[in-house]
Amino acid sequence: MTHAFYVYASYGFAALVVAAVILWTWADGRARRRELAALEAAGIRRRSARARDGE
């Protein structure tokens, strides 16, 4: 029982770090999708889209 606090604190910290990375990745993905939508609305297309259209 002497190490219980250390073990629980370590697991708690690891869980917080994992949750932070998940949230950061999710938020960054949303930001990139918004940026891509803004670029496409401005008429800037992806190279992969151009290759599919045969341009």
Side-chain angles (χ1 to χ4, degrees):
M1 209 48 146
T2 59
H3 297 92
F5 176 75
Y6 172 75
V7 170
Y8 293 135
S10 297
Y11 275 112
F13 181 73
L16 286 175
V17 169
V18 168
V21 169
I22 290 171
L23 288 173
W24 181 17
T25 303
W26 175 76
D28 189 57
R30 286 178 48 103
R32 297 298 79 80
R33 282 192 293 274
R34 279 194 305 272
E35 288 177 4
L36 183 59
L39 289 171
E40 288 181 346
I44 298 171
R45 300 285 182 234
R46 290 182 273 182
R47 284 180 287 187
S48 59
R50 213 176 308 135
R52 265 187 274 132
D53 293 339
E55 292 180 12

